[in-house]
Amino acid sequence: MVFNRSDTEQMASAGSQQRGPLLYKPLFESKAVSTREKEKTMSTRKITIFDTTLRDGEQSPGCSMKLHDKLLVAGNLEALKVDVIEAGFAIASPGDFESVQAIARQVKTSSVASLARALKGDIDQAWAAVRDAVNPRIHTFLATSPVHMQFKLRMSPEQVLEQATSMVRYARSLCPNIQFSLEDYTRTEEEFSWRVIEAVIAAGATTVNLPDTVGYAIPEEFGARIARVMEHVPNVDKATIAVHCHNDLGLAVANTLAALRAGAGQAECTINGIGERAGNAALEEIVMALRTRKDFFAGMQCDVDTTRIISTSRCVCSVTGSRVQNNKAIVGQNAFAHESGIHQHGMLANRETYEIMTPESVGLSQSQMVLGKHSGKHALKDRLEQLGIMLSEAHLQELFGRFKDLADAKKVVTDADIEALARGLEMRNDAQQKLVFERFLTTTGNTTADVSTVRLCVDGNSIEDVAMGNGPIEASFNAINKMLNLHVTVENFSVSAVTANVDAQGECDLRIRHNNKVYLGRGVAQDIIEAAIRAYVHALNGLLEDEQRMTVNASVMAAGGLV
Ligand code: KIV
Ligand code: ZN
């Protein structure tokens, strides 16, 4: 019997029903088990979890993060015990360099990697950014598929082979931990890929990554290709083979799992599956598949602390402003909800009827300890930590004040309220902002024109303006545009209630577009108009900060500094 005992035990202790003997046989056991499978079950194989939420994940539209956010995510990833955190692409911009370096300096237990094209300048920059990490890694890449070599790189296969090898050798002269990726591996001619893999391992690559860059692979086919790499590359045992799958056909996790079964030792993934286009393989799905189907993934083991999955997922949602769909596996709001009467009946009789993993195993707290106006700072700090929110003492103190105000207005403060307060706090770090919202007054109704007066503090001076609009929110935005003489486009505007009651806090998410760049805004307040104004001001602060940084960078570069 190879059912995951830890889940069984947790379910038994968490449920009200005593668990009887298992009533089914796992699929894997019901089939004939080959000798190879039997051998695999006997030995354990460590799977390295390489998280690229902060690099590939950040490449998803609208998911860009600020330094503070990135450090917060990195802290969560470290607590989740991922093996490698890809912190960014150091050469991409001075901001990227700064955040990779800050993460490399902050993280103590996971390895920290920076991406670099197979170019000397990129590798130097990546090394400068990660060299202070406890365990630094340079991740360099070059495309190997005919279409990329011919049209993007304009290089022959022999030139690509030479460039890849020499750049790996160069990177290895700087850092002992080198990863090389064959970009668009799935569409690479197979025998050529074996030559490249062999050559970069000989040149010093410690990990060779085989990405399904365009999400084209099919699990059986991808697994078979990886198996042939293990068979045909003579020095393959000198490096770890990794896979990095995109989700264009919705197969990223399936392809990753097929590759692990075929011998790959590293899975590249992101929290909530965020990433370029349709995203990357979702970390939480890979890890929970390995854990829940230990019987099938014989002997494979990773070190991720699965009880930190929910808090990390929430942290990523909150800093990127992209929520996961309700029915998303593992981390969606409905992933552990049993709605139908038949299911609920089954669950009450024995949780195993409809539950293959426990909510506790992914960190969904079953504790219903209610926070209210009598709760102390300790209880709040505890709950924040469970939600993956780590705050400085000063921020905690500030949040505690807001929590008390809210608890006075509402009887029960829910987890969603606390998360919203914490998100609001990040936005209200007034001392560092150019624009600070002060107050608004609006006249609205179905028989009168909507007019709003908004007062902002701009660089320390209070400025007020008034405007009309289609509704009080548009009127308020128009007042701000008028006082700042701004023209931006607002997109993806949404206002929602944090909880389901009429006294709920309002939360507004929006994006503004300016010169083809997108800035995220979020605001939280008891009043939805105020929440919308705060979201707008938050996004505008992002824009102004970016413009200021670009001006500074231009003058630093002109003076021959930084990059
Ligand atoms: O998808 C891809 O090929 C990548 C590489 C840079 C690893 O992200
Ligand atoms: Zn990618």
Side-chain angles (χ1 to χ4, degrees):
M1 179 74 269
V2 274
F3 187 74
N4 183 345
R5 295 310 304 178
S6 58
D7 271 355
T8 315
E9 283 149 17
Q10 282 185 40
M11 285 193 271
S13 61
S16 54
Q17 296 291 322
Q18 276 304 312
R19 183 175 290 274
L22 285 172
L23 301 174
Y24 66 96
K25 258 180 166 303
L27 291 176
F28 175 58
E29 277 198 349
S30 66
K31 295 206 176 119
V33 180
S34 70
T35 317
R36 191 156 166 253
E37 295 301 353
K38 276 186 192 149
E39 277 165 12
K40 280 210 261 168
T41 15
M42 285 176 219
S43 57
T44 35
R45 191 150 67 82
K46 151 97 175 148
I47 302 298
T48 300
I49 301 294
F50 177 108
D51 180 277
T52 182
T53 306
L54 293 167
R55 198 276 299 167
D56 217 325
E58 211 214 2
Q59 285 172 220
S60 27
C63 277
S64 66
M65 304 173 220
K66 294 197 181 138
L67 175 60
H68 173 276
D69 296 335
K70 289 185 180 176
L71 287 169
L72 197 64
V73 172
N76 273 274
L77 292 172
E78 189 177 17
L80 185 66
K81 298 203 174 95
V82 304
D83 300 284
V84 188
I85 298 173
E86 186 163 51
F89 189 5
I91 193 111
S93 73
D96 280 62
F97 179 89
E98 188 192 0
S99 46
V100 176
Q101 187 172 59
I103 292 166
R105 289 175 178 171
Q106 174 186 280
V107 169
K108 296 290 171 261
T109 49
S110 312
S111 171
V112 177
S114 170
L115 187 67
R117 287 166 299 180
L119 296 170
K120 202 163 172 293
D122 276 41
I123 292 170
D124 287 337
Q125 200 65 11
W127 176 234
V130 296
R131 63 182 306 158
D132 294 340
V134 172
N135 184 1
R137 176 181 291 199
I138 297 174
H139 174 195
T140 185
F141 73 100
L142 193 59
T144 49
S145 65
V147 64
H148 276 241
M149 291 190 293
Q150 188 181 343
F151 295 102
K152 186 180 85 173
L153 301 175
R154 294 182 194 285
M155 287 166 83
S156 69
E158 293 312 311
Q159 285 171 321
V160 164
L161 185 66
E162 162 53 29
Q163 178 84 359
T165 320
S166 62
M167 286 302 111
V168 166
R169 195 170 296 114
Y170 176 64
R172 185 63 198 259
S173 73
L174 303 172
C175 174
N177 191 349
I178 301 301
Q179 170 164 330
F180 179 79
S181 290
L182 289 78
E183 192 189 8
D184 202 15
Y185 160 77
T186 320
R187 294 189 296 168
T188 296
E189 198 270 309
E190 215 170 354
E191 292 191 0
F192 180 60
S193 76
W194 300 339
R195 283 178 65 206
V196 177
I197 299 168
E198 183 182 355
V200 293
I201 294 176
T206 40
T207 300
V208 180
N209 181 29
L210 305 176
D212 184 24
T213 304
V214 291
Y216 182 71
I218 303 294
E220 288 79 0
E221 170 204 47
F222 196 57
R225 267 186 81 120
I226 301 298
R228 287 195 291 273
V229 167
M230 307 312 286
E231 212 175 302
H232 289 276
V233 176
N235 55 358
V236 74
D237 58 321
K238 304 280 185 302
T240 300
I241 294 299
V243 288
H244 170 115
C245 298
H246 279 270
N247 206 29
D248 300 66
L249 294 174
L251 293 170
V253 170
N255 285 327
T256 306
L257 293 173
L260 295 180
R261 289 253 299 160
Q266 174 174 298
E268 303 206 359
C269 41
T270 59
I271 300 295
N272 302 335
I274 64 170
E276 188 86 40
R277 304 183 311 281
N280 289 60
L283 178 147
E284 61 277 8
E285 294 176 25
I286 296 171
V287 167
M288 289 313 287
L290 293 180
R291 185 182 198 271
T292 308
R293 294 303 309 272
K294 271 187 187 145
D295 57 318
F296 189 76
F297 295 103
M300 291 180 218
Q301 159 271 322
C302 72
D303 294 340
V304 166
D305 175 358
T306 60
T307 64
R308 310 275 324 185
I309 284 178
I310 293 291
S311 50
T312 311
S313 160
R314 287 180 177 166
C315 170
V316 171
C317 286
S318 126
V319 303
T320 58
S322 9
R323 296 173 188 185
V324 292
Q325 84 241 25
N326 286 352
N327 63 337
K328 162 86 179 64
I330 318 293
V331 293
Q333 206 179 321
N334 298 347
F336 291 89
H338 299 271
E339 187 75 25
S340 93
I342 295 176
H343 285 210
Q344 287 177 351
H345 176 243
M347 287 286 287
L348 287 171
N350 184 331
R351 293 181 68 172
E352 229 176 76
T353 49
Y354 288 104
E355 197 169 76
I356 58 164
M357 314 164 261
T358 63
E360 293 83 1
S361 66
V362 297
L364 262 179
S365 150
Q366 292 297 292
S367 108
Q368 285 310 312
M369 204 173 69
V370 169
L371 293 184
K373 66 178 177 186
H374 300 297
S375 308
K377 203 161 86 179
H378 236 72
L380 177 66
K381 185 167 182 246
D382 235 53
R383 184 60 60 87
L384 283 164
E385 276 172 12
Q386 281 173 24
L387 296 171
I389 304 166
M390 265 78 92
L391 295 180
S392 66
E393 195 44 47
H395 273 135
L396 178 65
Q397 190 56 41
E398 203 181 328
L399 187 84
F400 187 56
R402 299 221 172 109
F403 162 77
K404 285 284 183 189
D405 291 344
L406 187 66
D408 268 341
K410 296 181 80 194
K411 236 174 134 167
V412 171
V413 180
T414 64
D415 284 356
D417 282 321
I418 295 169
E419 285 178 301
L421 282 179
R423 290 194 289 269
L425 191 70
E426 289 315 323
M427 286 159 240
R428 290 190 207 176
N429 197 349
D430 294 347
Q432 295 158 14
Q433 306 294 348
K434 195 168 172 64
L435 309 178
V436 180
F437 166 72
E438 287 189 347
R439 67 182 197 196
F440 81 103
L441 179 69
T442 179
T443 322
T444 184
N446 62 352
T447 55
T448 175
D450 300 290
V451 181
S452 187
T453 308
V454 181
R455 182 187 286 186
L456 300 184
C457 179
V458 183
D459 283 335
N461 305 309
S462 289
I463 306 182
E464 192 169 282
D465 223 318
V466 59
M468 288 170 59
N470 271 322
I473 293 177
E474 197 194 59
S476 306
F477 289 8
N478 287 344
I480 295 174
N481 294 347
K482 213 166 130 195
M483 86 178 77
L484 301 175
N485 192 20
L486 262 177
H487 300 280
V488 296
T489 317
V490 177
E491 297 175 350
N492 291 33
F493 177 89
S494 78
V495 181
S496 55
V498 170
T499 50
N501 316 15
V502 282
D503 64 350
Q505 300 186 89
E507 184 164 21
C508 174
D509 286 292
L510 52 79
R511 289 173 190 175
I512 59 170
R513 186 177 287 274
H514 185 64
N515 287 343
N516 256 337
K517 280 183 134 182
V518 169
Y519 303 88
L520 189 81
R522 175 172 290 163
V524 181
Q526 284 263 248
D527 182 291
I528 53 168
I529 304 170
E530 181 181 334
I533 299 175
R534 287 190 179 279
Y536 193 49
V537 169
H538 179 221
L540 291 176
N541 271 322
L543 186 159
L544 296 174
E545 202 181 291
D546 202 33
E547 292 204 330
Q548 193 173 13
R549 201 175 34 231
M550 283 188 314
T551 322
V552 173
N553 290 342
S555 49
V556 171
M557 282 205 233
L562 227 55
V563 274

